[in-house]
Amino acid sequence: MKKYFLFFALALTAALMANAQGKNYMNVHQPDGEDKSYEVTPDLKVTWGAKTEKEENKEDGHRYVDLGLTSGLRWAACNIGAEEPWDYGHYFCWGEMGVKDDYSLANYAYKDNPTELPQDKDVAHLSWRGYWRMPTRVDFKELMEECTWTFERNYHGTHGYVVTGPNGNSIFLPAGGLRNGLNLVLDNEYGYFWSSSIINQDHTRGWILRYNNATIDRVDELRHCGLPVRPVLPKHE
């Protein structure tokens, strides 16, 4: 990835400093923590406002993290509806787009039973477009097996896991609980995330990722419950 000096964003520790010979210098505090002095001459060129690492790791306006997984899958930095990794974001029923007050079976509209959610029912793809999609049960398995999971208490005020990939990059998964009926339950105790995969033996349930401070596993949950969604981005040309 192309690197730039962030002249404007980083502090200029001193500007146009005169030395004993009458030359002018500009001292720049660089990203590696070192200060470098440049002589101010008529041909000196300065690049202002270059892209940051955070800005470059985006697709269709949404941040992602490359964890170095075998599949090459990149994970979103935030849940759908969240501004920061530690925010819970929105809660969705399996196969539905809308955010609602009542997450009861009587208020659940999607009755089809595909083995995997089709693209036109995938809330991650419909919300973020492009190549974004919901993770599958297999994607969660890779995340569990190839990454190091460290439980953090009060990470920006939220409990959850820092998930560190083989290349040292990490994402944060908050313990956002779930919505059942009119209530948000088990928030800041358990984390839940929908996959796009269904339970073949029981079409009323879908596969999810579930965790607390002691366990991390893939289990099933009733499709009418409201769970957060963390999108993924497959490798593509």
Side-chain angles (χ1 to χ4, degrees):
M1 185 180 295
K2 190 176 181 180
K3 301 295 183 181
Y4 300 87
F5 286 120
L6 305 180
F7 287 103
F8 185 76
L10 300 174
L12 300 178
T13 58
L16 304 178
M17 297 180 62
N19 67 6
Q21 286 73 37
K23 294 181 179 180
N24 293 324
Y25 292 87
M26 179 173 64
N27 290 342
V28 180
H29 186 68
Q30 299 178 104
D32 61 5
E34 298 294 325
D35 290 331
K36 188 170 182 179
S37 181
Y38 296 85
E39 183 181 353
V40 179
T41 62
D43 60 348
L44 177 67
K45 294 182 179 180
V46 178
T47 301
W48 304 91
K51 290 183 178 179
T52 67
E53 187 84 12
K54 188 174 183 179
E55 290 171 333
E56 288 179 335
N57 286 341
K58 280 186 177 182
E59 181 149 335
D60 298 308
H62 301 284
R63 286 179 286 159
Y64 69 82
V65 179
D66 182 355
L67 297 170
L69 301 175
T70 299
S71 68
L73 194 71
R74 281 79 60 85
W75 284 77
C78 302
N79 297 346
I80 295 178
E83 295 293 329
E84 298 293 346
W86 48 87
D87 295 335
Y88 297 161
H90 297 325
Y91 295 77
F92 302 95
C93 300
W94 196 82
E96 291 188 357
M97 275 285 294
V99 176
K100 50 192 179 182
D101 295 324
D102 181 9
Y103 291 83
S104 64
L105 181 59
N107 201 34
Y108 180 54
Y110 185 61
K111 305 298 184 182
D112 293 349
N113 296 310
T115 302
E116 294 285 341
L117 266 176
Q119 193 174 71
D120 64 353
K121 294 297 181 181
D122 184 324
V123 66
H125 177 72
L126 293 174
S127 298
W128 290 11
R129 300 296 179 177
Y131 290 92
W132 288 103
R133 62 168 174 80
M134 290 173 64
T136 66
R137 183 172 182 255
V138 173
D139 296 334
F140 282 139
K141 182 174 186 287
E142 180 183 54
L143 192 71
M144 292 167 62
E145 293 181 349
E146 295 193 12
C147 296
T148 301
W149 292 60
T150 306
F151 190 78
E152 295 284 348
R153 296 185 181 276
N154 294 317
Y155 184 89
H156 294 267
T158 305
H159 297 349
Y161 275 95
V162 173
V163 182
T164 305
N167 63 4
N169 294 336
S170 63
I171 58 175
F172 180 73
L173 299 179
L178 61 81
R179 290 192 176 275
N180 191 4
L182 302 176
N183 302 312
L184 174 63
V185 298
L186 298 174
D187 55 307
N188 232 19
E189 295 182 40
Y190 276 84
Y192 298 86
F193 285 99
W194 277 126
S195 81
S196 60
S197 308
I198 205 171
I199 304 297
N200 291 329
Q201 297 83 1
D202 184 353
H203 293 299
T204 65
R205 308 180 76 87
W207 285 109
I208 69 169
L209 175 70
R210 184 185 69 183
Y211 51 83
N212 62 9
N213 63 343
T215 61
I216 306 162
D217 52 18
R218 294 175 301 161
V219 295
D220 56 278
E221 186 53 75
L222 290 166
R223 288 165 46 177
H224 69 263
C225 290
L227 273 63
V229 172
R230 179 64 65 97
V232 294
L233 185 66
K235 290 181 66 175
H236 59 87
E237 295 298 328

